[in-house]
Amino acid sequence: MNLEIARARKRDNRIPIHGPEAFAGMHKAGKLAAEALDLLAPKVQPGVTTQELDDLAFEFAMDHGACPAPLNYRGFPKSICTSLNHVVCHGIPNDKPMRDGDIINIDVTLIVDTWHGDTSRMFPVGNASRRAERLMDVTYKSLMLGIDAAKPGNTTGDIGAAIQRYAEGERCSIVQDFCGHGLGQVFHDRPNILHYGAPGEGVKLQPGMIFTIEPMVNLGRPKVKVLQDGWTAVTRDRSLSAQFEHSIGITETGCEIFTLSPAGLHCPPYVTT
């Protein structure tokens, strides 16, 4: 499949309002992206390389008539993002084996019939520390609180405020350099979804809006830097970082999550709430 054909549509300055056909397309793409993460979950083990995970994700996409959206997107060289330990996001898969005690975020976006399914999850590699497990707990709960706030009449600020209030209350920090984004037939569209802010601020949510919520939460300070490869973002203080992501659509009464795991693995077993 030609990636440039799959990416034919470009972002403009309007916030798209989508109809039932788009929601159906997003459900299909989101389900396949979630299935890809389900496939990778048991492979996250000490001694396995992130390149092996990337290879599996690419093969899965090809076998299902999908395109891995990150591949060659603005020069990104791989099919998925793999962010270990103090890597906040956009980690590039490589041949270095994962070690017992690592934690990793795997971010998968698949293009299915022009629609983008975008999701990420955290995984412990072997036996993660209690500090690392707690960070992943807090990050997952932050995402779900943000999703709870995603409903008509609320604003993007209500989403960010819910996430920030909980994470900072748990003595963690919110990364402010990256945000969620509109999604559909464009990979990164409007609106931007900040994971911090004040209730009532930002864009008012309307039925038909489609976007990601993907908070990045650090155990230490919120500041990050991007490495020389131009992609890999890390915590400046080298503290652990975690992220979870779902793609959602605003409905008349709340929102629909497009990227729930068919196997029920979107909520990892170490999450207690």
Side-chain angles (χ1 to χ4, degrees):
M1 186 180 297
N2 188 305
L3 284 175
E4 297 311 312
I5 292 175
R7 295 179 180 136
R9 299 209 176 199
K10 296 185 181 296
R11 170 174 170 155
D12 62 28
N13 291 323
R14 297 171 295 176
I15 298 176
I17 301 298
H18 299 278
E21 180 182 351
F23 273 59
M26 289 299 295
H27 272 293
K28 184 176 179 181
K31 180 175 181 287
L32 194 66
E35 287 175 346
L37 283 176
D38 290 350
L39 170 72
L40 296 178
K43 310 298 184 182
V44 179
Q45 298 290 340
V48 175
T49 70
T50 52
Q51 182 59 54
E52 290 177 80
L53 300 178
D54 188 82
D55 291 341
L56 286 169
F58 179 81
E59 292 170 7
F60 177 86
M62 294 300 99
D63 289 346
H64 290 82
C67 286
L71 185 60
N72 298 323
Y73 179 77
R74 298 181 179 176
F76 190 80
K78 301 293 181 176
S79 297
I80 60 175
C81 297
T82 52
S83 301
L84 282 155
N85 299 326
H86 71 293
V87 178
V88 175
C89 60
H90 304 154
I92 301 174
N94 59 39
D95 292 322
K96 183 177 180 180
M98 294 182 287
R99 300 177 299 177
D100 185 67
D102 286 342
I103 59 172
I104 185 171
N105 175 271
I106 303 177
D107 192 337
V108 172
T109 306
L110 296 181
I111 306 172
V112 181
D113 299 332
T114 75
W115 298 98
H116 291 70
D118 189 359
T119 184
S120 80
R121 298 179 211 158
M122 293 299 301
F123 300 92
V125 182
N127 299 299
S129 69
R130 180 59 196 128
R131 291 173 68 249
E133 288 190 348
R134 177 179 170 274
L135 173 64
M136 292 187 284
D137 288 349
V138 169
T139 307
Y140 179 79
K141 182 68 178 295
S142 296
L143 168 65
M144 299 314 294
L145 288 171
I147 289 174
D148 287 345
K151 54 189 176 183
N154 276 5
T155 67
T156 54
D158 292 317
I159 295 172
I163 292 168
Q164 183 178 23
R165 181 167 54 246
Y166 176 73
E168 292 182 351
E170 294 294 322
R171 303 183 303 283
C172 296
S173 63
I174 294 290
V175 173
Q176 299 188 8
D177 298 67
F178 301 97
C179 62
H181 53 87
L183 193 69
Q185 292 178 300
V186 176
F187 194 174
H188 294 95
D189 208 342
R190 297 187 68 203
N192 291 334
I193 305 297
L194 304 182
H195 303 117
Y196 61 94
E201 292 185 346
V203 175
K204 189 172 183 179
L205 302 178
Q206 302 177 48
M209 288 183 176
I210 293 175
F211 50 82
T212 70
I213 303 177
E214 47 185 296
M216 287 148 268
V217 180
N218 297 346
L219 270 182
R221 297 181 181 277
K223 296 297 184 182
V224 307
K225 64 179 180 181
V226 177
L227 301 184
Q228 290 185 344
D229 61 26
W231 285 101
T232 307
V234 300
T235 55
R236 285 188 174 273
D237 60 6
R238 296 189 66 83
S239 63
L240 290 177
S241 186
Q243 179 187 22
F244 282 91
E245 175 184 16
H246 274 312
S247 299
I248 70 167
I250 302 298
T251 67
E252 294 291 340
T253 57
C255 71
E256 294 181 11
I257 302 175
F258 301 127
T259 46
L260 293 174
S261 160
L265 301 179
H266 47 271
C267 179
Y270 52 80
V271 176
T272 57
T273 57

